[in-house]
Amino acid sequence: MFEPKIYDIPDADIAWCPGCGNFGIINELKTALAQLELDPTQVVLVSGIGQAAKMPQYVKANMFNGLHGRSLPAAVAIKMVNPNLVVIAESGDGCTYGEGGNHFIHTIRKNPDITNIVHDNQIYGLTKGQASPTTARGQVTTLQFDGVYVDPFNPIAVAVALDASFVARSFSGNFQLTVELIKMAIKHKGYALIDILQPCVTFNKVNTYQWYRENTYLLPDSYDPTDREHAFRIATDTSKLALGVIYKNPNKPVFEEQLAPYKNDKTPVALRGLEV
């Protein structure tokens, strides 16, 4: 049995504010990896830019920290050349849905076997509190003095509309649920999105721990996540936000398994000898 501490980096200089929801997510990720008994050498964490994107620097595993909004193409490339690795792309709502919005859409279309963890604090934290794609209409920020003028981006609805093969939402304050969803996403064959709601205690005074507890609910055990029409209704109902596996389609072909180099040889391209 693995212990979460095997993913610890001693004396890591963690730059998150005290109380940040990222602390919950990093503990939940380490616990999920340990319960799946994944050796650090088997795991790759890929991120862009932002407070959430600092995560790979604090977890003992393989990592790639790239450009703002570009965690997904790097993650897909890594999975293509070595499908044996567990590839986890993770960044914030701004990095993934804003700067990386086009990659979000087309990664869903490709359906690579990767897990996409989005730290959704509904604000830009690294750059001091501007509205992100998921900030609510009317919310006053450090830049939008009169409130946000546009409706928020709904990543869950977009993912369901595009027939993403696994779509889930969690809250960083719900430890057990988040651990279980991360484990399910990693074990899922295909693209798996987990949008994790998390407070930014410094720059978002609206979406607090209490707000998330009062404005979310757990999907019942009787809920059928393979019913796409029902899933879309759940995704578009923002009066209260559903937590759990909202939609899944296990029958979609996996991107890297269709590539020509793997038709007759399953050896990862990264591990093949060079031909002269």
Side-chain angles (χ1 to χ4, degrees):
M1 185 70 177
F2 286 19
E3 294 292 333
K5 65 182 180 182
I6 71 167
Y7 307 102
D8 289 350
I9 297 178
D11 303 319
D13 184 15
I14 296 180
W16 299 328
C17 303
C20 177
N22 285 323
F23 285 106
I25 298 174
I26 195 171
N27 290 331
E28 289 150 356
L29 175 63
K30 289 178 179 179
T31 301
L33 295 175
Q35 290 183 6
L36 292 174
E37 298 189 339
L38 292 170
D39 189 274
T41 61
Q42 296 175 265
V43 179
V44 186
L45 298 179
V46 186
S47 69
I49 298 295
Q51 292 290 7
K54 295 175 182 177
M55 175 84 88
Q57 301 173 39
Y58 307 146
V59 179
K60 185 179 179 181
N62 300 296
M63 60 89 77
F64 181 86
N65 187 201
L67 300 174
H68 205 187
R70 304 299 185 263
S71 59
L72 285 171
V76 173
I78 291 167
K79 190 68 178 183
M80 287 169 62
V81 299
N82 193 347
N84 293 342
L85 293 170
V86 172
V87 180
I88 301 171
E90 66 84 43
S91 266
D93 46 311
C95 186
T96 306
Y97 305 140
E99 287 80 1
N102 56 332
H103 296 298
F104 174 66
I105 291 170
H106 296 294
T107 301
I108 291 174
R109 291 180 57 239
K110 291 184 179 79
N111 195 41
D113 187 17
I114 65 172
T115 298
N116 189 188
I117 297 174
V118 182
H119 304 220
D120 191 352
N121 60 11
Q122 301 180 252
I123 208 79
Y124 278 104
L126 183 64
T127 48
K128 309 300 184 282
Q130 304 95 325
S132 80
T134 56
T135 305
R137 175 186 278 270
Q139 184 166 328
V140 175
T141 76
T142 58
L143 184 63
Q144 285 77 22
F145 308 116
D146 297 322
V148 177
Y149 296 135
V150 296
D151 290 329
F153 179 74
N154 187 330
I156 302 297
V158 170
V160 174
L162 290 171
D163 197 24
S165 62
F166 183 100
V167 183
R169 184 195 283 128
S170 194
F171 163 47
S172 65
N174 190 325
F175 182 86
Q176 193 56 45
L177 174 66
T178 307
V179 169
E180 290 305 314
L181 289 176
I182 293 173
K183 288 163 57 180
M184 292 172 66
I186 291 173
K187 290 190 289 185
H188 171 76
K189 197 70 171 174
Y191 172 80
L193 169 67
I194 313 177
D195 185 74
I196 304 181
L197 303 171
Q198 58 126 131
C200 174
V201 296
T202 300
F203 294 112
N204 189 341
K205 303 301 185 182
V206 175
N207 307 114
T208 62
Y209 283 98
Q210 180 178 348
W211 189 93
Y212 285 123
R213 292 189 179 100
E214 293 175 351
N215 290 277
T216 60
Y217 69 97
L218 292 173
L219 289 168
D221 292 339
S222 59
Y223 176 76
D224 178 11
T226 64
D227 184 339
R228 189 177 176 196
E229 184 177 341
H230 190 194
F232 192 73
R233 290 200 301 271
I234 293 291
T236 54
D237 180 5
T238 56
S239 58
K240 265 203 166 185
L241 303 175
L243 303 180
V245 179
I246 295 170
Y247 178 67
K248 62 180 179 180
N249 178 2
N251 301 315
K252 294 189 70 174
V254 175
F255 177 67
E256 61 273 10
E257 293 180 355
Q258 303 172 78
L259 299 176
Y262 297 116
K263 293 290 185 183
N264 301 308
D265 185 355
K266 301 304 181 185
T267 305
V269 170
L271 304 181
R272 297 180 190 180
L274 296 175
E275 295 182 5
V276 180

